[in-house]
Amino acid sequence: MKYVGSIDQGTTSTRFMIFREDGSIASSAQKEHRQLYPRPGWVEHDAEEIWQNTAALIKEALEKAGLEGSDLSAIGITNQRETVVPFNRKTGRPVYNAIVWQDLRGEEYIKKLSKSLPESVVREHTGLLYSPYFSASKIRWILDNVPKVRALAENGDIVFGTMDSYLVARLTGCRAIVTDATNASRYMLMDIKTGEWDPEMLERTGIKASMLPDIVSSYGVIYGYTDPEGPLGAEVPVAGMLGDQQAALFGQACFSRGESKCTYGTGCFLLMNIGIDPCLSEHGLLTTVAYKAEGEPMCYALEGSVAVAGSLVQWARDQLHLVSTPQELDAAADTVPDNGGVYIVPAFSGLFAPYWRSDARGVIAGLTGYASRAHICRAVLEATAFQANDIFSAMEMDSGTSIKELKVDGGMTNSLPLMAFQADIMRVPVIRPVVVETTSLGAAYAAGLTAGVWKSREELKTQWKEQMRWLPTMDDKERANKVGFWNKAVRSTLGWMDSEKE
């Protein structure tokens, strides 16, 4: 039996999983890390804490499986994207906290850049839109506001890496300073057509290529070997990397044009495979790299991102004390037939796709004396389904393709009322696979393909198995009514910060 290890470094936790060659899970270990909020709109992680967690989790999962590090054929990495950590090129140690993808501190720089560089140029070069979500404005903020880091960066001693790059450096003793094309495509600095750092975007932002990791393929190449003095205790090839949403697409075996998946985690991310032609969106979506196999053209995806999905459930639990567990929220939502007219738009840090309005802030709309705790619980779940549906509609318009079904994964797929409502509001079957940890599985698949554990993407397709399916049952009139009220609630969030300043 062959085994492949997979590091899934996420927004709220890190997981290490070991997969058998049949795609089944041999063992898993997971640990949360702290969320740091230095100021309103700022979100940071301690990258050293994340590395220590990762090292401990590798040892724990190996022990659970009764394996040694040398038993692993390869290791793959998947990670929260856009989050940037400046680390020392020689030691791999972080020199400043990681600035998380949700962080808004780059907003002022984005506004400044947009006055001299039209968004259409950014979209044509990078496939992205202007937003502090992407890595470039976070890097620029550090260079402009942290003199110690700026001086080291100018000397070529600092790498501004996404978490995949940082973890590869730590695992290999800095023998590999790389990021794959899927993660690089989230910097707002990569040429979406060539897969290289874009000279014009680098010049415009003042970020040097020497400050960035080298861009490599997602699989088909070994980036380096783990340090035998490290947590694996052996030289294991690090041989696959994908940003978390692309890893989920890969793990769902969405290798053909038009195949789509939606991951429900801290945020909510819907991706559609669009093949080797990087078509640009006209409806607020992003063009991103789906995966890059060594020796093959890049495969692209259209993507829509929702900032607040599972984190809204956490907010209802931790801030409102509405429930003590997600299961309790599901149970409460199930006691009522609908939301009682209550709509929650969780624009805590603005609205992402397809609106891209950083001036928006969250609302709870439609409250009456009739509304109960159960109605609010239901509205919390429905908020994610409505946001995903906005992206789904934009995706069909951009691609000119009618999406026939949606594969789903992530923690929130355990919410049966959410999945049933999602099928109703999208009017397509929603399908959950047997292995719902498709993000980790996708990274393992990438590494295993490189190491020869699996021979082809076609072989991986045969491993994918359906576990559960939800079919739409809501009539069109009721659906249209609900979507209409949702759109009205969204409109009420817009321009909130501007009106506050006035």
Side-chain angles (χ1 to χ4, degrees):
M1 177 68 72
K2 293 178 181 176
Y3 299 91
V4 179
S6 175
I7 298 171
D8 179 356
Q9 202 298 292
T11 308
T12 57
S13 69
T14 305
R15 179 188 285 115
F16 186 71
M17 300 185 77
I18 300 172
F19 291 90
R20 302 181 186 93
E21 60 188 290
D22 63 0
S24 63
I25 298 168
S27 72
S28 177
Q30 184 175 5
K31 188 173 184 180
E32 291 189 356
H33 53 264
R34 292 172 298 148
Q35 305 296 306
L36 308 173
Y37 303 102
R39 295 187 192 177
W42 290 24
V43 192
E44 296 181 359
H45 291 157
D46 179 346
E48 184 62 34
E49 177 190 1
I50 287 173
W51 165 246
Q52 295 299 333
N53 286 354
T54 303
L57 292 167
I58 289 171
K59 292 176 182 176
E60 182 183 338
L62 285 169
E63 188 176 330
K64 281 183 180 177
L67 299 172
E68 301 291 331
S70 56
D71 294 322
L72 302 182
S73 297
I75 281 187
I77 297 175
T78 180
N79 56 288
Q80 51 169 319
R81 305 168 307 168
E82 299 92 24
T83 296
V84 167
V85 54
F87 63 89
N88 187 294
R89 184 176 286 275
K90 293 171 185 168
T91 67
R93 295 195 172 269
V95 295
Y96 192 78
N97 277 344
I99 299 183
V100 181
W101 59 273
Q102 300 152 313
D103 191 284
L104 293 175
R105 75 186 72 181
E107 190 171 0
E108 286 305 312
Y109 175 73
I110 290 294
K111 286 179 182 174
K112 177 183 171 185
L113 185 61
S114 67
K115 290 175 182 175
S116 61
L117 185 65
E119 187 175 67
S120 58
V121 175
V122 174
R123 184 167 57 190
E124 186 180 336
H125 279 250
T126 69
L128 308 179
L129 304 171
Y130 270 132
S131 173
Y133 173 35
F134 305 113
S135 305
S137 65
K138 304 176 196 300
I139 296 171
R140 192 64 257 173
W141 185 91
I142 296 172
L143 289 170
D144 291 341
N145 292 276
V146 189
K148 176 186 76 170
V149 178
R150 181 171 64 245
L152 289 167
E154 292 293 343
N155 291 336
D157 295 329
I158 295 296
V159 178
F160 291 98
T162 38
M163 296 306 294
D164 59 314
S165 179
Y166 169 66
L167 289 174
V168 171
R170 296 302 294 260
L171 285 165
T172 64
C174 293
R175 288 189 291 272
I177 305 293
V178 295
T179 189
D180 90 298
T182 67
N183 280 291
S185 71
R186 314 298 294 188
Y187 273 75
M188 208 176 82
L189 296 172
M190 191 193 87
D191 185 322
I192 195 68
K193 297 182 181 70
T194 67
E196 303 291 339
W197 296 122
D198 186 283
E200 183 175 348
M201 293 304 297
L202 293 176
E203 184 179 348
R204 291 278 193 165
T205 57
I207 298 169
K208 297 177 182 177
S210 61
M211 301 174 183
L212 303 173
D214 295 331
I215 302 174
V216 293
S217 297
S218 308
Y219 71 93
V221 60
I222 294 171
Y223 315 122
Y225 291 84
T226 58
D227 186 341
E229 302 298 315
L232 283 137
E235 288 193 338
V236 179
V238 184
M241 279 195 295
L242 292 154
D244 53 7
Q245 302 315 317
Q246 288 92 336
L249 191 76
F250 209 80
Q252 288 274 30
C254 293
F255 303 133
S256 300
R257 192 177 187 280
E259 291 185 320
S260 307
K261 71 89 202 176
C262 192
T263 297
Y264 299 80
T266 304
C268 180
F269 301 86
L270 207 160
L271 273 73
M272 172 198 269
N273 185 323
I274 57 171
I276 61 173
D277 176 25
C279 75
L280 299 178
S281 172
E282 298 296 328
H283 297 93
L285 302 178
L286 309 175
T287 304
T288 195
V289 178
Y291 57 85
K292 169 71 171 74
E294 183 75 359
E296 293 183 18
M298 284 186 290
C299 181
Y300 296 96
L302 282 176
E303 174 178 332
S305 315
V306 169
V308 179
S311 53
L312 182 61
V313 176
Q314 291 177 319
W315 177 77
R317 179 193 68 189
D318 300 339
Q319 301 294 100
L320 298 188
H321 305 291
L322 205 59
V323 294
S324 55
T325 65
Q327 293 77 18
E328 187 183 342
L329 187 133
D330 279 356
D334 248 349
T335 64
V336 289
D338 56 39
N339 61 16
V342 179
Y343 292 80
I344 299 177
V345 186
F348 294 162
S349 53
L351 286 170
F352 282 18
Y355 304 100
W356 297 107
R357 293 289 295 265
S358 56
D359 62 336
R361 288 296 179 270
V363 301
I364 302 178
L367 287 172
T368 63
Y370 170 73
S372 66
R373 168 178 169 272
H375 290 123
I376 294 172
C377 286
R378 189 164 189 89
V380 166
L381 293 177
E382 291 185 358
T384 292
F386 280 121
Q387 290 179 99
N389 184 60
D390 286 342
I391 295 168
F392 185 84
S393 301
M395 207 160 267
E396 288 195 319
M397 287 188 286
D398 267 330
S399 66
T401 302
S402 178
I403 301 172
K404 303 299 184 189
E405 62 182 28
L406 184 71
K407 292 180 177 179
V408 297
D409 53 73
M412 288 188 83
T413 61
N414 292 316
S415 171
L416 302 186
L418 169 59
M419 292 296 100
F421 187 75
Q422 189 70 88
D424 277 339
I425 219 70
M426 284 187 176
R427 293 182 292 190
V428 298
V430 169
I431 304 167
R432 187 173 72 188
V434 170
V435 178
V436 294
E437 298 302 342
T438 54
T439 305
S440 295
L441 181 60
Y445 277 167
L449 283 169
T450 305
V453 176
W454 299 289
K455 302 304 179 193
S456 66
R457 295 192 293 270
E458 288 67 32
E459 180 184 349
L460 298 181
K461 267 188 174 291
T462 65
Q463 289 194 358
W464 187 93
K465 291 180 176 61
E466 177 180 325
Q467 182 199 59
M468 193 175 291
R469 174 181 295 243
W470 291 267
L471 300 175
T473 59
M474 186 181 293
D475 69 63
D476 288 348
K477 185 177 179 182
E478 183 182 358
R479 178 191 175 278
N481 184 55
K482 289 181 181 296
V483 171
F485 274 110
W486 165 257
N487 290 336
K488 186 183 289 189
V490 169
R491 288 194 295 273
S492 71
T493 72
L494 305 179
W496 186 271
M497 292 309 291
D498 288 346
S499 62
E500 188 179 77
K501 289 172 187 174
E502 290 166 12

